[in-house]
Amino acid sequence: MPFLGTGVYKNPAAVLIGAPYDATSTYRAGSAHAPASIRWASESVETFSPFQQRDLTDLAISDSGDLDLAGCSPEAMVERVRARVAATSGLPVVIGGDHAVTFGAVAALAERHPDLGVIVLDAHLDLLDEYEGAHWSHATVLRRISDRLGPERCAVLGARSGTRDEWAAAASLAAVARTGDLPPAARAAMRDRPIYLSVDIDAFDPSIAPGTGNPEPLGISIGEFASLLGVLAEHRIVGCDLVEVSPPCDPSGRTSILAAWLLREMLLAFVHPGDTRTE
Ligand SMILES: [Mn+2]
């Protein structure tokens, strides 16, 4: 079942890409089931957003289904995500999977946009150089991105968990904030850059989004996210993802429904009605 409001277009303005992979999860896996669960949950959401006064059906958005990542090593997974995103015209929107999938998308877009900046919403800093010997892990993803782009091109919002060393390393990022607000200095630093937005669902408070592998108290609110989207809609977003929803940890299905709603709002904020629509 494709995501809400998507269709088949020759030149889509945005393309959803499922990345069902959770082999680098460190505590509770299950995010490999998220793409299917979020598509299913999207049936409970309307295509029209009363907040943005915009409708998904006015936009040319395709759902390309899931990548085949079964049995992949983390390196092979990153390469498959990279290759698919590199081959995608239109805004790539990756549905994880665990957070390690983000690096594949960022690697592809950094080739296309040498001045790429990355904004991550995440409870966790993910700045470890390695996790129990693993170079590619959902716990090292921002470190890998920062190594690739430079820390001054990376910002993390909603952050409230990390080792002492990770917090020390975070000081060199463009921004690190516990709230969902992009601090003014980071707004300026990101103003002229193409931006990739990565949304780890655990940035939200666990009372809102309990269905994730590593829930962490004192998270951001949905209202904070909506305000951030308003700010980011004025920037140039060239790719985005939503990761770390774990359906087995989400018996009521509410986290998948929130994820579908967040994706609708992201698509409506980042894809413009003037963008190509070819049947
Ligand atoms: Mn996280």
Side-chain angles (χ1 to χ4, degrees), residues 154-266:
C154 304
V156 58
L157 309 178
R160 56 199 187 276
S161 173
T163 65
R164 190 191 303 257
D165 288 347
E166 284 180 283
W167 283 106
S172 61
L173 300 176
V176 52
R178 189 175 68 74
T179 70
D181 286 335
L182 194 60
R187 283 189 203 193
M190 296 287 177
R191 170 64 60 192
D192 299 320
R193 291 190 185 288
I195 292 174
Y196 185 89
L197 174 70
S198 177
V199 179
D200 182 329
I201 196 75
D202 68 31
F204 292 88
D205 194 79
S207 63
I208 301 168
T212 189
N214 304 73
E216 182 72 26
L218 290 174
I220 71 166
S221 69
I222 299 168
E224 280 177 85
F225 179 83
S227 299
L228 177 67
L229 271 193
V231 170
L232 294 181
E234 292 166 16
H235 290 248
R236 187 170 146 227
I237 304 294
V238 297
C240 58
D241 66 45
L242 194 151
V243 299
E244 294 284 351
V245 172
S246 177
C249 302
D250 191 35
S252 76
R254 60 197 281 204
T255 310
S256 284
I257 291 172
L258 172 65
W261 186 95
L262 296 171
L263 282 166
R264 179 192 75 184
E265 293 295 315
M266 289 160 70

